C-alpha cells in the first residue's frame, strides 16, 4: 500500500483556506490534515469547528482533524458534526478518553489518539483496540515548521509491532518535520500516513513533493 499524504493546512495562507484545500486535491494528496489548537493544551491558537465546517463545503477529501485541546470529550461530537471524517486527540488532555472515542464512533466517524513527542507510548496502549488511527508526533505539538525528532519513530515501530501481534486495525500516522528525505524511514517503521505541512505548502512543486512521499 502506498503511503497516504495528508498536507496540514496549518501551513497554508489562512486568508485563502478554501483555495488551499482545493489545491491539496489538485496536488494529488490523499487527506487534508486540520490542526486545532486552543491556546491551553498548546501555546498557540488556530481555528475551531466553524473552520472545519467551512472547509467541508469546499472539499470532498478526508478531513483528518487533530485536536490539541483540553477536555476534548466536550467537543469531539461537534467536530464530527462540522464535517470531520477522522478526529484524533491527546489522551493526557482528556478526563474521559474512552468516552470521547465512543462519542466519535457514535457519529459514524473514525477516532484516534495522539502520542505527543514528550509522552511515552504507554499512554495509548490500553486503547489500541478501540482506535482507527494512531498519530505519532515527531515534533512537540503546538507549532508548524519544527525539526523532525528521529527518536520518536520508535513509537511508530512499537505501534506496528503491537498491531501485528494482536490483529489491531488502526493506521499509523506520523506528524512533524516530514519530508521526502525521511519518508522511507517512516514507512520502514510501519507508518501508513504522513502529515506534511511546510514541506508541501512551501515547495516549489507541491505536486512533485506529494508524489515523492507516496511511496
Amino acid at each position: 500500500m502506498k503511503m497516504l499524504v495528508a498536507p496540514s493546512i496549518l501551513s497554508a495562507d489562512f486568508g485563502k483556506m478554501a483555495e488551499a484545500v482545493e489545491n491539496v486535491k489538485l496536488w494529488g494528496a490523499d487527506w487534508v490534515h486540520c490542526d486545532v489548537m486552543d491556546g491551553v493544551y498548546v501555546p498557540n491558537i488556530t481555528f475551531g469547528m466553524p473552520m472545519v465546517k467551512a472547509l467541508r463545503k469546499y472539499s470532498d477529501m478526508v478531513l483528518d482533524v487533530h485536536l490539541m485541546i483540553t477536555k476534548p470529550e466536550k467537543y469531539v461530537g461537534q467536530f464530527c458534526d462540522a464535517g470531520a471524517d477522522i478526529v484524533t486527540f491527546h489522551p493526557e488532555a482528556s478526563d474521559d478518553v474512552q468516552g470521547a472515542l465512543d462519542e466519535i464512533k457514535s457519529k459514524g466517524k473514525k477516532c484516534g489518539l495522539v502520542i505527543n513527542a514528550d509522552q511515552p507510548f504507554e499512554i495509548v496502549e490500553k486503547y489500541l483496540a478501540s482506535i482507527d488511527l494512531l498519530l505519532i508526533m515527531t515534533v512537540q505539538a503546538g507549532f508548524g515548521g519544527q525539526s523532525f525528532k528521529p527518536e520518536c519513530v520508535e513509537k511508530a515501530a512499537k505501534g506496528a509491532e503491537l498491531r501485528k501481534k494482536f490483529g489491531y486495525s488502526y493506521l499509523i500516522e506520523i506528524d512533524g518535520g516530514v519530508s521526502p528525505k525521511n519518508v522511507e524511514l517512516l514507512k520502514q517503521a510501519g507508518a501508513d500516513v504522513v502529515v506534511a505541512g511546510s514541506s508541501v505548502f512551501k515547495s516549489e512543486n507541491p505536486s512533485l513533493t506529494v508524489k515523492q512521499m507516496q511511496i
Side-chain angles (χ1 to χ4, degrees):
M1 189 177 93
K2 74 168 186 177
M3 182 77 79
L4 301 179
V5 177
S8 169
I9 56 169
L10 181 65
S11 296
D13 182 341
F14 272 32
K16 300 178 180 178
M17 293 303 264
E19 181 181 329
V21 292
E22 290 171 346
N23 282 338
V24 166
K25 186 170 186 176
L26 290 173
W27 296 336
D30 302 284
W31 297 356
V32 177
H33 190 79
C34 305
D35 289 303
V36 176
M37 307 180 194
D38 65 357
V40 181
Y41 175 69
V42 291
N44 195 10
I45 298 174
T46 54
F47 51 80
M49 290 80 79
M51 177 67 82
V52 173
K53 186 175 182 179
L55 294 177
R56 180 79 285 167
K57 296 177 183 178
Y58 290 94
S59 181
D60 60 359
M61 295 180 71
V62 170
L63 292 184
D64 171 27
V65 177
H66 172 194
L67 302 182
M68 288 168 261
I69 65 176
T70 57
K71 301 189 187 307
E73 61 275 6
K74 291 185 175 182
Y75 307 101
V76 291
Q78 295 177 61
F79 277 99
C80 292
D81 293 342
D85 295 293
I86 305 168
V87 178
T88 60
F89 61 92
H90 294 252
E92 73 274 18
S94 176
D95 292 332
D96 185 7
V97 174
Q98 191 62 54
L101 294 173
D102 292 343
E103 172 73 5
I104 297 165
K105 288 183 175 182
S106 77
K107 296 285 187 177
K109 305 302 178 76
K110 293 186 177 180
C111 66
L113 292 175
V114 189
I115 308 176
N116 210 347
D118 63 352
Q119 295 293 318
F121 186 91
E122 288 71 28
I123 198 169
V124 301
E125 205 154 353
K126 66 189 264 189
Y127 304 106
L128 292 177
S130 301
I131 63 175
D132 302 296
L133 186 68
L134 176 62
L135 173 52
I136 310 291
M137 296 299 297
T138 44
V139 298
Q140 189 65 14
F143 293 92
Q146 296 181 62
S147 297
F148 177 77
K149 295 180 182 293
E151 64 272 18
C152 295
V153 178
E154 295 176 10
K155 298 173 189 174
K158 178 71 171 177
E161 176 190 336
L162 292 178
R163 176 173 62 183
K164 182 177 181 180
K165 181 177 180 180
F166 295 106
Y168 296 141
S169 58
Y170 54 78
L171 295 178
I172 297 173
E173 181 175 42
I174 295 187
D175 181 359
V178 175
S179 73
K181 294 180 180 179
N182 55 27
V183 71
E184 180 63 40
L185 170 70
L186 305 182
K187 185 160 190 174
Q188 289 176 2
D192 308 287
V193 189
V194 289
V195 177
S198 303
S199 63
V200 171
F201 280 97
K202 294 182 180 179
S203 173
E204 293 182 3
N205 188 336
S207 296
L208 178 60
T209 300
V210 168
K211 188 175 182 179
Q212 288 173 334
M213 290 189 285
Q214 290 171 324
I215 60 175

